[in-house]
Amino acid sequence: MSLVTSKNSEEKCLLYAGPASLVWGWVVVSFFTWFVGLAMAEICSSFPTTGSLYFWAAHLASPKWGPFASWCCAWLETIGLIAGMGTQAYAGSQTLQSIILLCTGTNKDGGYFAPKWLFLCMYIGLTIIWAVLNTFALEVIAFIDIISMWWQVAGGLVIIIMLPLVALTTQSASYVFTHFEMSPEATGISSKPYAVILSFLVSQYSLYGYDSAAHLTEETKGADKTGPIAILSSIGIISIFGWALILALCFSIQDFSYLYDKSNETAGAFVPAQILYDAFHGRYHNSTGAIILLIVIWGSFFFGGLSVTTSAARVVYALSRDKGIPFSSIWRQLHPKHKVPSNAVWLCAAICIILGLPILKVNVVFTAITSICTIGWVGGYAVPIFARMVMAEQKFNAGPFYLGKASRPICLIAFLWICYTCSVFLLPTFYPISWDTFNYAPVALGVGLGLIMLWWLLDARKWFTGPVRNIDNENGKV
């Protein structure tokens, strides 16, 4: 995921239990993420010619359970990626909302704060732009991906280094690493353990997506080695840079209680924007620097959403080729000129827009979409990891990266951690629960997955065989 993605999620997670819980939560989540990464790296090394979770699940499970495993994995991955588009669109819109506000003044000086209807328009606009680019400008996307990589790395470094240097005062180490502060009047949560659990959500959301690194090495020489290296390197980089970014933000806080004040310069709507504003306005008496860094952050979300849209369309296209989606004959069609799965692209965009419609009425839309995204994506990881854990060792064709006797314990810890992650993203994040604070992720997932499983039981199990088998079942080689 993006190095600056955690800035958006930090907003509410900082409110639950203060800086210390957020800082150490990243460390705890990073620790357990390594178990998931090691399990995924071993599987990737065994299947170097494809980075598809859908493929891995089908071939690690037994012939009897392979179709069901691939069915579950494919749908979870599809749900996760489409919701992932929503998280990037929402975060990008929220950042753009803050940019417009600071460019037209501030909340105190009559600046323009985009209302909900305009926010929804920005959300829809970003989604449509990504769909258009994925339909008509695939060659441009390849170039944009290169720009994206450097943009996010350079932008992340600039924020990490510059923010604490610009801030007039910085918090003490004891404040950042030990200060625990709840806000029950704002969140309605008075239980310390529950507050800590919710404060970890930012880390659990940000530290995934590393399987994408393996996709980039599929066609390279020695992919059975470079794939695992890519996965583990990705986790290492995001672990270090993400923690550094959180530290930079926490050290630069000027007044914790003021961050959430609806009468502050950024209307209390986007805490990272207020931290940036306080730093640059305090030093230079203007908000130019904050606006520039917010544009950097917005660019990261734009690039991230474009990439996730590409991935989502490919998964939908692959699943439709195996007739795993209703009206598959439509979604597997390629654009006659550009040879891209344009129908799949627009299906993903349409569902993403539907996920965002509650923006007009519900205040925790980002939490809900993030929950759906995370549960779908990491839930997809759980299927091949569980299949690897329970399969007979002699049937596993180990690649160069092999965990040996440590494989099953690592897979067990990884699987349990994924189950825990999926569970906590279903929890209410604000009390008392009302229509405008309701986390609708459990309802959306329950209905969606319920229909998918019902389809399997009534019909799909009779004909769905998973991805086209182009490898030998026994040894897993091409």
Side-chain angles (χ1 to χ4, degrees):
M1 296 297 288
S2 161
L3 291 178
V4 297
T5 296
S6 59
K7 285 181 71 66
N8 186 74
S9 303
E10 183 197 353
E11 176 182 356
K12 292 295 186 293
C13 293
L14 185 62
L15 180 63
Y16 290 125
S21 184
L22 186 65
V23 168
W24 293 113
W26 187 274
V27 175
V28 171
V29 174
S30 296
F31 173 77
F32 285 105
T33 299
W34 275 101
F35 287 91
V36 181
L38 287 168
M40 297 285 284
E42 183 186 49
I43 296 171
C44 177
S45 185
S46 179
F47 297 100
T49 57
T50 176
S52 170
L53 298 175
Y54 175 37
F55 181 93
W56 293 352
H59 293 280
L60 285 170
S62 65
K64 177 181 178 181
W65 293 102
F68 181 65
S70 62
W71 175 269
C72 294
C73 189
W75 272 106
L76 285 168
E77 189 176 10
T78 299
I79 291 170
L81 285 167
I82 293 176
M85 294 169 57
T87 64
Q88 299 298 308
Y90 190 99
S93 300
Q94 194 172 38
T95 308
L96 185 58
Q97 184 184 50
S98 296
I99 293 172
I100 294 172
L101 177 60
L102 293 181
C103 284
T104 56
T106 66
N107 185 49
K108 289 185 173 182
D109 299 328
Y112 184 74
F113 184 76
K116 288 185 176 181
W117 68 265
L118 183 56
F119 190 101
L120 178 60
C121 289
M122 292 189 288
Y123 176 98
I124 294 173
L126 281 173
T127 305
I128 291 175
I129 290 171
W130 296 331
V132 169
L133 289 174
N134 271 279
T135 303
F136 303 108
L138 204 59
E139 297 82 2
V140 176
I141 289 178
F143 176 70
I144 292 177
D145 283 341
I146 298 175
I147 297 176
S148 172
M149 179 180 66
W150 289 106
W151 181 284
Q152 295 191 51
V153 172
L157 285 173
V158 167
I159 295 171
I160 290 168
I161 295 171
M162 182 176 291
L163 184 56
L165 293 177
V166 170
L168 280 178
T169 61
T170 56
Q171 297 291 341
S172 65
S174 61
Y175 174 84
V176 172
F177 291 105
T178 66
H179 184 68
F180 183 92
E181 181 176 346
M182 295 176 60
S183 303
E185 68 286 350
T187 64
I189 296 170
S190 57
S191 168
K192 290 184 179 180
Y194 193 65
V196 170
I197 288 173
L198 294 181
S199 70
F200 281 20
L201 293 181
V202 56
S203 307
Q204 290 166 288
Y205 160 63
S206 301
L207 282 163
Y208 73 93
Y210 35 83
D211 62 299
S212 300
H215 300 176
L216 303 177
T217 64
E218 292 172 14
E219 304 301 328
T220 62
K221 185 177 180 180
D224 53 353
K225 296 179 181 178
T226 57
I229 291 173
I231 290 175
L232 298 178
S233 298
S234 177
I235 295 174
I237 291 171
I238 190 62
S239 296
I240 295 171
F241 273 81
W243 200 51
L245 186 59
I246 288 175
L247 289 175
L249 287 164
C250 290
F251 271 108
S252 302
I253 292 173
Q254 301 301 297
D255 183 350
F256 182 84
S257 61
Y258 188 61
L259 295 177
Y260 301 95
D261 190 338
K262 293 186 182 298
S263 64
N264 68 18
E265 288 80 3
T266 57
F270 189 35
V271 165
Q274 186 64 39
I275 294 176
L276 292 171
Y277 175 85
D278 288 342
F280 283 93
H281 190 269
R283 175 74 65 178
Y284 303 110
H285 306 293
N286 64 66
S287 57
T288 303
I291 293 171
I292 292 173
L293 290 189
L294 284 171
I295 292 173
V296 171
I297 295 169
W298 180 87
S300 178
F301 291 130
F302 179 85
F303 293 138
L306 183 63
S307 177
V308 174
T309 302
T310 305
S311 298
R314 287 177 178 176
V315 172
V316 169
Y317 172 70
L319 187 55
S320 65
R321 283 186 309 177
D322 298 315
K323 302 179 181 179
I325 295 180
F327 308 106
S328 292
S329 60
I330 298 175
W331 316 125
R332 64 171 176 259
Q333 290 180 9
L334 296 177
H335 191 282
K337 179 180 179 180
H338 301 284
K339 303 302 179 184
V340 297
S342 54
N343 290 349
V345 169
W346 287 99
L347 174 64
C348 294
I351 298 174
C352 176
I353 290 171
I354 292 172
L355 283 175
L357 291 179
I359 285 172
L360 294 173
K361 293 292 183 181
V362 182
N363 292 329
V364 291
V365 173
F366 183 75
T367 299
I369 298 178
T370 300
S371 299
I372 296 170
C373 171
T374 307
I375 292 170
W377 209 324
V378 302
Y381 294 175
V383 180
I385 289 175
F386 181 79
R388 167 70 185 100
M389 181 175 65
V390 300
M391 75 182 301
E393 192 64 27
Q394 61 270 23
K395 292 184 179 180
F396 180 71
N397 182 62
F401 185 86
Y402 179 52
L403 298 173
K405 293 182 179 180
S407 179
R408 292 187 191 280
I410 288 175
C411 285
L412 176 61
I413 295 173
F415 179 75
L416 293 176
W417 174 251
I418 291 172
C419 291
Y420 165 76
T421 297
C422 292
S423 298
V424 296
F425 271 97
L426 296 174
L427 297 173
T429 55
F430 283 91
Y431 286 91
I433 298 174
S434 60
W435 283 112
D436 62 341
T437 62
F438 176 61
N439 179 8
Y440 61 87
V443 175
L445 283 168
V447 173
L449 293 177
L451 291 174
I452 291 167
M453 290 299 103
L454 184 63
W455 183 20
W456 171 263
L457 290 172
L458 296 180
D459 183 48
R461 63 186 178 88
K462 301 174 184 177
W463 48 263
F464 184 79
T465 59
V468 177
R469 291 184 177 269
N470 57 1
I471 67 169
D472 182 88
N473 288 335
E474 182 178 352
N475 58 23
K477 292 183 179 180
V478 174

